Amino acid sequence: STTSIVESTPVTGTPTRIFAAVFDPLIQEYHGISADAKHTSDMDSTKITGNVNPAAPVKSTRIRVGRSIDGYGLSPGITKEQRLAVEGLFAAASSKFSGDLAGKYYALTGMDEGVRQQLVDDHFLFVSGDPNLSVSGMERDWPEGRGIFHNTEKTFLVWVNEEDQLRIISMEKGGDVLGVFKRLAKGIQTVGDSVKEESGKEFMLDEKYGYVHSCPTNLGTGMRHPSTLTFQDGPQTELTH
């Protein structure tokens, strides 16, 4: 939404390489990197030594990344058949998640009203109507091929075929950022391994810019980390950053 450009369907390689003359200057300016920069990703949680003070008024913590599966178009250019294939692939892969990541996939198409309302109440459900997604073609054939996975504890979620093919999310109440990150790192690895075991496919990775997303602002690790803080002095106020 801040760059007014999205990545579509690669023919060979990744969109950033096919249209490098267009994407390179924009990506370098937005991310503040040099022309010869090369992305590295490190999800080793053992290297993190600090955490949020338990006394801090943090109501909830959420960290997410996007991932795209190689061999399928990105959301602005993905075909209906590819979108359904991505959904089917993830549904099959997620059925094998175990331990604290085990849960259930819920397709938006034909969703039971009770399930839908619960997902709304939990603030999990993504909906149509975002003007940026709509104008860039990401809401075509809504709601087919889209859905949500969450684990039993509702601390690990995956959105399927929203802005990105996969949005992998770790969240919980409170400010345990380290714990949330550990679960996210484990979840990313589990999703990647399960998708590869199911299909032989891996996450789309650009050798220069890292993991590929529909929006070039998310290139690289593709990570976002909003936290909600509650201030007790005076009228209760919440701030999400």
Side-chain angles (χ1 to χ4, degrees):
S1 61
T2 57
T3 59
S4 300
I5 189 170
V6 292
E7 301 185 79
S8 188
T9 307
V11 178
T12 180
T14 64
T16 48
R17 297 297 90 226
I18 297 168
F19 302 106
V22 176
F23 279 108
D24 279 359
L26 183 149
I27 291 168
Q28 290 158 19
E29 178 180 349
Y30 180 87
H31 291 280
I33 59 176
S34 63
D36 60 352
K38 188 172 182 179
H39 175 77
T40 58
S41 182
D42 188 350
M43 299 293 290
D44 184 356
S45 62
T46 64
K47 297 179 181 178
I48 301 175
T49 58
N51 206 348
V52 174
N53 188 325
V58 180
K59 183 175 182 180
S60 65
T61 301
R62 174 185 178 121
I63 311 177
R64 63 87 169 162
V65 300
R67 290 291 184 269
S68 305
I69 302 171
D70 202 14
Y72 300 103
L74 303 180
S75 290
I78 193 172
T79 65
K80 180 178 178 179
E81 292 73 22
Q82 286 180 329
R83 191 184 300 109
L84 291 169
V86 169
E87 180 189 33
L89 171 55
F90 176 79
S94 63
S95 68
K96 300 173 183 176
F97 293 174
S98 61
D100 61 335
L101 300 183
K104 185 176 179 180
Y105 176 72
Y106 301 88
L108 266 62
T109 303
M111 181 178 287
D112 176 81
E113 177 57 26
V115 171
R116 190 199 70 81
Q117 188 58 54
Q118 186 61 58
L119 291 170
V120 169
D121 293 344
D122 290 333
H123 305 289
F124 290 173
L125 190 65
F126 61 90
V127 297
S128 64
D130 184 303
N132 294 311
L133 302 190
S134 180
V135 75
S136 57
M138 298 190 208
E139 293 197 347
R140 289 171 292 111
D141 307 309
W142 182 274
E144 285 190 286
R146 297 164 172 93
I148 298 173
F149 170 91
H150 70 72
N151 66 344
T152 303
E153 292 77 19
K154 298 183 178 180
T155 56
F156 179 69
L157 287 70
V158 181
W159 290 357
V160 177
N161 287 321
E162 192 237 9
E163 179 177 326
D164 288 305
Q165 291 176 14
L166 302 175
R167 278 282 173 91
I168 304 171
I169 305 164
S170 177
M171 59 188 292
E172 65 181 58
K173 296 185 183 301
D176 184 10
V177 175
L178 179 56
V180 172
F181 181 80
K182 285 181 177 179
R183 186 186 309 112
L184 178 71
K186 178 182 177 181
I188 295 170
Q189 187 67 48
T190 298
V191 173
D193 290 346
S194 298
V195 165
K196 186 173 182 178
E197 181 180 347
E198 194 70 27
S199 67
K201 298 181 182 296
E202 300 190 59
F203 292 143
M204 193 182 298
L205 183 66
D206 183 274
E207 63 180 13
K208 180 176 177 63
Y209 292 125
Y211 292 101
V212 178
H213 301 69
S214 296
C215 180
T217 64
N218 289 324
L219 278 171
T221 305
M223 186 180 297
R224 293 289 186 273
H225 172 214
S227 293
T228 300
L229 291 78
T230 302
F231 298 94
Q232 301 292 347
D233 294 337
Q236 192 176 67
T237 304
E238 290 187 359
L239 171 66
T240 298
H241 175 69

